[in-house]
Amino acid sequence: MRHLAACILLTLLLVGCAAPADPDKAQESIQVIAMDTAMLITTYGERSSAAAYAAEDVIRDLEKQLSRTKEDSVVSQLNAAGRRMLVEGDLIPLLSSSGWFYELTSGAFDITVAPVVSAWGFTTDSFQVPSQEELHELLKLVDGSEVSVTPAYDDGEGTKATVRLGPGQSIDLGAIAKGYAANKVLEVFREYGLPRAKAELGGNVLVLGDRPDETPWRVGIQDPKRPDDPNGFIGVLELTDSFAVTSGGYQRYFEENGKRYHHIIDPSTGYPADSGLTSVTVVADCEMENGTMCDALSTALFIMGEEKALDFWRSGGVPDSNFELVLVTEDGRVLITEGLADRFVRDESSGYSYETIS
């Protein structure tokens, strides 16, 4: 009996003297299937588990509001309402941002392209090539300037605003919602005081701080020619405290009669964008609403093409926000803007030529 008591006492003493866990190394990693994509959230710090699951809650709440493929979402209700609806929550700032990027990109970013996207079957995965006559009629509904949001007001039960769509219009936030979600996830990470974290929301990546070994996070940019190769990169970005968002025609597509049709629709033509680019990556630091910006621009600049995209970057196209680009072209070039030159590791065996843009 004395021997047992002594063993218990020794065990308690050893436990009491054990070094506390290093909060920078405590880690939680969870997978989330939401917004029609697989997401991975990795958190560090003493509150890593709580932060990861709080981030998941935020993402699922946004999906309930913003997903066009969920019949009971706020966006689906707005589309069904036809023209006018009182809304609240995250849809208000997101619609305001969408209108702003519509103006900044001269219509290349346009959430009212929804009926055209549906005609191609990308909403339901029932792929088809619509007739020119059908597209001609649907393009009459594509005009982001028709969407209006009244000044938001607080009625004591939350912020509300009235949203108006043009006759017959519907909206699709797929090109901006995950970027907005990344902003909200960053807020969670900071609220929980995490020293470092990473969130991969489809083609949207957020990195907070650096890696546990105090080196930058490594974010690979997929080679559009090798979309099914998990290690098929045209290069790797070395980033801290950054958003990085990639849009590419290789991410979702179908083939008919030997021709490939991807999901990034040009609002001016109704067809998949034929811009000479195969992917666009937009990178910005973790300030302001840069997750939303990177997501919107990755789509808009893909549609605009190489020359206009670089002109937009050179002109500082987004007031009070800095961003950098990696463009991959159909003719085998990788263009890296100068602000990323020392943070981009090239894959010289990829078969691409590389150029730093100033």
Side-chain angles (χ1 to χ4, degrees):
M1 194 70 178
R2 289 178 181 176
H3 178 70
L4 177 60
C7 287
I8 293 173
L9 178 60
L10 179 59
T11 300
L12 291 173
L13 287 171
L14 289 172
V15 171
C17 294
D22 184 346
D24 283 3
K25 294 183 179 179
Q27 175 182 328
E28 182 68 69
S29 185
I30 63 172
Q31 187 178 58
V32 180
I33 306 298
M35 296 184 175
D36 299 319
T37 193
M39 304 179 176
L40 184 64
I41 300 170
T42 305
T43 52
Y44 294 80
E46 291 180 330
R47 305 180 72 190
S48 56
S49 292
Y53 288 103
E56 179 184 8
D57 289 343
V58 165
I59 290 168
R60 296 205 181 281
D61 179 63
L62 289 174
E63 182 180 39
K64 291 177 183 178
Q65 297 181 64
L66 309 176
S67 175
R68 189 160 75 100
T69 59
K70 290 189 174 295
E71 292 183 0
D72 58 348
S73 74
V74 180
V75 164
S76 292
Q77 293 173 40
L78 174 61
N79 287 340
R83 294 193 64 178
R84 183 176 181 275
M85 180 176 163
L86 184 67
V87 303
E88 59 185 338
D90 294 284
L91 186 56
I92 298 172
L94 194 49
L95 287 178
S96 296
S97 294
S98 296
W100 193 52
F101 286 113
Y102 171 81
E103 296 293 339
L104 284 177
T105 63
S106 300
F109 180 84
D110 193 333
I111 60 175
T112 65
V113 76
V116 179
V117 174
S118 294
W120 284 90
F122 286 111
T123 306
T124 60
D125 289 337
S126 301
F127 304 121
Q128 62 180 350
V129 179
S131 68
Q132 186 59 56
E133 292 76 12
E134 182 182 6
L135 289 178
H136 177 74
E137 291 302 313
L138 291 175
L139 283 172
K140 296 177 182 178
L141 305 176
V142 181
D143 182 357
S145 66
E146 291 282 336
V147 181
S148 66
V149 182
T150 62
Y153 65 93
D154 191 335
D155 65 357
E157 297 181 356
T159 301
K160 296 179 173 62
T162 298
V163 177
R164 289 181 175 83
L165 305 181
Q169 285 189 323
S170 58
I171 62 170
D172 187 328
L173 298 171
I176 195 171
K178 286 188 285 293
Y180 182 83
N183 285 339
K184 303 292 282 189
V185 168
L186 176 60
E187 290 180 11
V188 172
F189 290 166
R190 287 176 169 167
E191 176 186 349
Y192 280 78
L194 302 188
R196 55 182 53 86
K198 184 178 184 181
E200 300 171 69
L201 315 182
N204 292 248
V205 178
L206 157 67
V207 293
L208 175 67
D210 53 15
R211 297 197 298 180
D213 62 1
E214 299 183 347
T215 61
W217 294 95
R218 293 172 59 81
V219 178
I221 299 179
Q222 188 71 42
D223 181 353
K225 296 178 181 178
R226 297 178 288 165
D228 299 322
D229 182 353
N231 297 310
F233 302 129
I234 54 98
V236 174
L237 292 166
E238 296 183 334
L239 303 175
T240 59
D241 293 315
S242 298
F243 295 101
V245 181
T246 299
S247 290
Y250 64 91
Q251 294 170 328
R252 195 176 184 193
Y253 62 89
F254 70 95
E255 294 184 358
E256 185 171 307
N257 297 325
K259 185 171 181 179
R260 178 177 293 191
Y261 300 93
H262 62 74
H263 73 292
I264 304 177
I265 302 299
D266 185 338
S268 67
T269 67
Y271 279 86
D274 184 14
S275 65
L277 297 176
T278 55
S279 84
V280 171
T281 299
V282 184
V283 179
D285 59 28
C286 288
E287 296 296 334
M288 300 174 66
E289 301 297 321
N290 283 346
T292 304
M293 176 189 72
C294 290
D295 203 7
L297 290 187
S298 66
T299 298
L301 299 183
F302 183 96
I303 291 168
M304 291 162 65
E306 176 186 337
E307 183 177 346
K308 290 183 178 179
L310 291 178
D311 286 346
F312 188 89
W313 169 74
R314 291 187 179 104
S315 68
V318 182
D320 302 319
S321 294
N322 295 317
F323 63 92
E324 301 294 339
L325 302 174
V326 179
L327 308 181
V328 185
T329 70
E330 289 180 350
D331 60 4
R333 293 173 295 127
V334 178
L335 312 177
I336 309 108
T337 56
E338 58 187 356
L340 283 179
D342 61 349
R343 293 181 285 165
F344 182 81
V345 180
R346 306 177 180 189
D347 181 356
E348 301 292 356
S349 66
S350 68
Y352 288 89
S353 62
Y354 294 83
E355 181 181 350
T356 300
I357 302 298
S358 59

